[in-house]
Amino acid sequence: MLSVIAIQDEIAAGRTTPAAEIARSLDRIAELDAGIGAFETLADRDAAIATAAAASGPLAGVSVGIKDIFDTADLPTAYGTALYAGYRPRTDAAAVTMIRQAGASVVGKTVTTEFAFLNPSRTRNPLDPAHTPGGSSSGSAAAVAAGMVAAATGTQTGGSVIRPAAYCGVSGYKPSFRLVPTVGAKTFSWSLDTVGFFAACVADVARFAACITRRPLDVEESASPPRIGIYRSRIWNEANAEMHHALGRAAEIAANAGAEVIEIDEPDTLAAGRDCHSTIQNYEVGLAMADDFLRFGDSMSKILREAIASGRAIPPADYDKARATARRARKAATALFHTVDVLLTPSATSAAPAGLASTGSPIFNKLWTLTGNPCVNVTGLANPAGLPLGVQVVARFGADRAALSAADWLERAIRAA
Amino acid sequence: MLSVIAIQDEIAAGRTTPAAEIARSLDRIAELDAGIGAFETLADRDAAIATAAAASGPLAGVSVGIKDIFDTADLPTAYGTALYAGYRPRTDAAAVTMIRQAGASVVGKTVTTEFAFLNPSRTRNPLDPAHTPGGSSSGSAAAVAAGMVAAATGTQTGGSVIRPAAYCGVSGYKPSFRLVPTVGAKTFSWSLDTVGFFAACVADVARFAACITRRPLDVEESASPPRIGIYRSRIWNEANAEMHHALGRAAEIAANAGAEVIEIDEPDTLAAGRDCHSTIQNYEVGLAMADDFLRFGDSMSKILREAIASGRAIPPADYDKARATARRARKAATALFHTVDVLLTPSATSAAPAGLASTGSPIFNKLWTLTGNPCVNVTGLANPAGLPLGVQVVARFGADRAALSAADWLERAIRAA
């Protein structure tokens, strides 16, 4: 895979140039993407290389794939649906501007599922093309995993960053809610939609996020071992035996490396928070995409059409009740971090499922999307077939650097074990 | 002015039809708007009347002006700037769809200031064309005041609903934050942008909001007199003597009509909240409109360009500090309502200022935009020249019906006095 930090270091040492790095990314895409299908559209090669040659900023030479749910003025934006074929927004989404302002190069738009919901895309998992890469940020996770780009953007409303990162064996980072603006990304659910990022490893995704947000998010390598709570949620049995084993192994490695590891039971308020996620999501998409539904509903996938229709039928009082439940869950989530620095939970129910008929289940992600806590997928564990089993580090709301630093610590411990 | 409730009643009684009402609105616009400049674009007359004739829903026959900061698929959307001339979004903003789904007719797009900020528009105050109608929802407030439409939409980031309502002598309602989705309205500041409405009187704006949100927002006419807190904020002396007199008169009328009226001093946390508004607004617009700024900044007004530039220079840590101040202000705002049902404060510093060089000051509005409390402008008081002096009813977050009902009670008491 391409590494953000390695590219920065090599450029600083004079061993490569931003233009050469962008050319390398585009070469890799030309070579590999026919078998993966991670890209929807590509930037013009000559223009992208010329722009990179002139780029300044800390991410000059860093190739980025932009999930095609974000508006771009210079590339078509289709939100994963033929309904928006040929759509050309006037301006870039805020996150895209942040990326360009940091000197990085947008080399293409990556495949998203239809409006970033559950209907699968054509993208294949680079680690085994017979398996799904997950969704909805399918192309972004696959593009990083295949070494075609150094970083990519995603959005998570249920589990659309952490889950594809886990399935593809890359680092995925879902920041605290609204750390990165969603302006210019197609709205599904304004209380849940969260911008996230993919890169090869935790230190890379942290560096990328630090450079574009201008926030101190770089991992603290000298940090002492974190206090880790193994979060045994009510949905524990939704994970398969391989995932149970992986989480146990991660806990064992962490303890052996000096971390304090304790078990944390799920409070009722957090289980209730998970249960109200779909009410909030569907009510909001019923309003946010009402006009899309009325104009194009007949051409939408059944799963999306039914989600929007169900949301339109939810009485406002039920939505208000769900929002109150969510507020209580956010408070309860903060209280969890009185005794531990981070929680460790599965990133998904299993390794990437076989087939492209489903993008897998977001059930281990949606609670943390609702509460807004920062989450990082940690790679390094795998099932007997060699497919990654991702585990998820969760930190207190706003403690993004703690989440990234603990995830980096764990990733290094797993590598060393 | 046209009344939402009167139109509903007359249609129910068979004395008029939805098509006739929409024709009446378009006739009024044709007659009056040349001297006011409230409309940016108009719907096709024949199509609008035909649609109204076929409309069902509680707002059939209700003519609505849509502030041109909301996307519309069938009318150009230009955000108050030549930079977006000819822009045609694919879908309507969520609020527009809600309005159409309730059976109301969009008769045109109303003039907004440039990107809904402070640079004045060409719209004149219908009560005196030598005075500003206020902003940024200039055309919406003026269109209702002139009797050209029964209702109109606005957005408020500082004071863009309550202030123009006050200057134009109409009812303006800023709901609790996110009661109505902002999806499809151009983002200025995602923590502050709030969708609001204008109509002739409080009962009308409440009925309109009730019908489009399907929430129980109709005023409770049988409610007992509210407990009212006269909110003496630190900026009291920013209001002129006329406004001081108007607020005193409103308090006197309320007490005479049976309300308990007490004085409330502004807590430090709320004064601090007001002071942090511009940091949050400018930081967020610096990100939300970064690409607009980079592409079109040279063609923006100086006041907008400087606001965006100043936002781009704010360190994230300062923004985070302001957000923490805002969170404390929201809690303190809730605590104010332990002893009173509503607060009463000026809607603006004065009656509509003379001239079109400024849209006036939002200083009496921006605290409540920050805290997200529902606000309603109450009409009925005026200065010696006959220009309206609006007073503002503020209720607890989420208590929108209480805000509307108390405002309606006060409006009737003022009329009767």
Side-chain angles (χ1 to χ4, degrees), chain B residues 136-324:
Chain B
S136 63
S137 310
S138 318
S140 284
V144 170
M148 297 193 281
V149 289
T153 66
T155 53
Q156 176 160 319
T157 304
S160 287
V161 169
I162 298 300
R163 173 165 106 269
Y167 289 173
C168 292
V170 302
S171 182
Y173 162 43
K174 180 193 82 68
S176 291
F177 185 66
R178 286 285 163 86
L179 188 83
V180 179
T182 54
V183 180
K186 177 73 171 166
T187 303
F188 200 90
S189 164
W190 57 85
S191 298
L192 299 169
D193 294 349
T194 309
V195 175
F197 306 109
F198 302 91
C201 70
V202 177
D204 282 322
V205 83
R207 174 67 56 84
F208 184 76
C211 291
I212 71 161
T213 64
R214 303 177 193 182
R215 289 173 175 275
L217 294 173
D218 262 318
V219 297
E220 297 181 283
E221 293 196 14
S222 61
S224 50
R227 296 173 304 161
I228 298 175
I230 306 297
Y231 191 70
R232 292 235 184 264
S233 59
R234 309 291 169 87
I235 54 165
W236 182 246
N237 289 330
E238 301 270 337
N240 71 3
E242 287 179 356
M243 181 54 79
H244 289 162
H245 180 74
L247 200 78
R249 180 72 184 126
E252 184 184 35
I253 291 170
N256 289 343
E260 183 189 326
V261 179
I262 63 171
E263 299 266 332
I264 302 251
D265 284 329
E266 179 160 77
D268 291 343
T269 41
L270 283 168
R274 183 184 301 107
D275 292 342
C276 79
H277 175 280
S278 66
T279 299
I280 291 175
Q281 173 189 271
N282 291 357
Y283 180 88
E284 292 187 355
V285 74
L287 290 172
M289 290 187 51
D291 199 34
D292 291 289
F293 177 80
L294 295 167
R295 287 175 198 274
F296 313 130
D298 291 347
S299 305
M300 289 176 175
S301 70
K302 184 163 176 282
I303 196 170
L304 175 62
R305 194 168 58 238
E306 288 180 355
I308 299 176
S310 80
R312 287 165 59 85
I314 294 171
D318 291 5
Y319 169 64
D320 292 347
K321 201 173 152 194
R323 286 196 296 174

Side-chain angles (χ1 to χ4, degrees), chain B residues 338-362:
Chain B
H338 291 158
T339 51
V340 296
D341 298 313
V342 293
L343 302 174
L344 190 62
T345 89
S347 288
T349 58
S350 65
L356 300 184
S358 158
T359 61
S361 165

Side-chain angles (χ1 to χ4, degrees), chain A residues 89-245:
Chain A
R90 290 240 169 152
T91 52
D92 289 345
V96 174
T97 304
M98 292 164 79
I99 287 166
R100 296 197 207 257
Q101 287 272 290
S105 293
V106 173
V107 297
K109 300 292 285 282
T110 60
V111 172
T112 172
T113 61
E114 178 197 31
F115 292 112
F117 197 52
L118 293 168
N119 197 46
S121 73
R122 63 190 160 84
T123 309
R124 296 174 177 277
N125 192 314
L127 304 179
D128 183 339
H131 290 246
T132 178
S136 63
S137 310
S138 317
S140 284
V144 170
M148 297 191 282
V149 289
T153 66
T155 54
Q156 175 159 319
T157 303
S160 288
V161 169
I162 298 299
R163 173 164 106 269
Y167 290 173
C168 293
V170 303
S171 182
Y173 162 44
K174 180 193 81 68
S176 292
F177 185 65
R178 287 284 163 86
L179 187 84
V180 179
T182 54
V183 180
K186 177 73 172 167
T187 302
F188 199 90
S189 164
W190 57 85
S191 298
L192 298 169
D193 294 348
T194 309
V195 176
F197 305 109
F198 301 91
C201 71
V202 177
D204 282 322
V205 83
R207 174 66 57 84
F208 183 76
C211 291
I212 71 161
T213 64
R214 303 177 194 184
R215 287 174 176 275
L217 294 173
D218 263 317
V219 298
E220 298 181 282
E221 293 196 14
S222 60
S224 49
R227 296 173 304 160
I228 297 174
I230 305 298
Y231 190 70
R232 292 235 184 264
S233 60
R234 308 291 169 87
I235 53 165
W236 182 246
N237 289 329
E238 301 271 337
N240 70 3
E242 286 179 357
M243 181 54 78
H244 289 163
H245 180 75

